[in-house]
Amino acid sequence: MRYMGLDYGTKTVGVALSDERFILAQPYTTIEREKADKLRRTLAALEEIVKEQNVGKIILGYPKYLNNTEGDRCEATVQFKEKLEKRLGLPVELWDERLTTVEADRILDDMGVAGSSHKTYVDKIAASLILQNYLDRLQSEDREKS
């Protein structure tokens, strides 16, 4: 079983997957959304990945503002979470995603990826950062219990 990390946006959904030991997150793909208010194709694509990759839990980025308040994107993300849970029958956990896109852009800059090419990679890298932060917390909690 694996965990899936998602960076949900109005135009794309970045997808990352964990390894089977829940230690490492890796960018997987970016799903292009046809329209911001339509989710049928997005949900179908995610359902296919869940089945193919044996996903048992989803970690969904929760886009709070830097001052820790919530806005319209948080509300849309909660609605998306509910649709994911209903369609896929999996637990979906919200995870604070503040600054993950900024960090993903920095990683791409450090790798020498041209700025014009960032949009190709940034969402799936942001998803992997969301998931990796979650996995790191799990590892930390396990160490504290030992």
Side-chain angles (χ1 to χ4, degrees), residues 92-108:
V92 179
E93 186 169 336
L94 296 174
W95 188 260
D96 188 346
E97 71 169 38
R98 283 178 279 185
L99 298 177
T100 54
T101 301
V102 172
E103 189 176 347
D105 272 323
R106 192 172 318 135
I107 289 168
L108 289 167

Side-chain angles (χ1 to χ4, degrees), residues 40 54 59 85-86 90-91 120 128 133 141 144-145:
R40 188 173 43 87
N54 192 28
I59 310 307
E85 289 170 332
K86 183 177 180 182
L90 293 175
T120 304
S128 71
N133 289 335
E141 288 174 356
E144 288 174 10
K145 289 178 184 175

Side-chain angles (χ1 to χ4, degrees), residues 9-63:
T10 56
K11 296 180 182 179
T12 60
V13 178
V15 180
L17 294 171
S18 75
D19 63 339
E20 293 178 350
R21 293 177 39 195
F22 310 115
I23 296 170
L24 184 63
Q26 294 186 354
Y28 185 72
T29 192
T30 301
I31 298 169
E32 300 287 332
R33 297 192 50 212
E34 195 171 303
K35 293 183 180 179
D37 61 341
K38 303 287 183 191
L39 287 172
R40 188 173 43 87
R41 288 184 184 177
T42 301
L43 292 170
L46 291 170
E47 184 174 34
E48 187 174 320
I49 295 167
V50 163
K51 289 177 182 174
E52 288 176 358
Q53 298 296 326
N54 192 28
V55 172
K57 185 175 189 176
I58 297 172
I59 310 307
L60 176 59
Y62 193 57

Side-chain angles (χ1 to χ4, degrees), residues 105-121:
D105 272 323
R106 192 172 318 135
I107 289 168
L108 289 167
D109 284 340
D110 290 348
M111 292 173 58
V113 176
S116 59
S117 297
H118 279 209
K119 70 178 185 172
T120 304
Y121 305 103

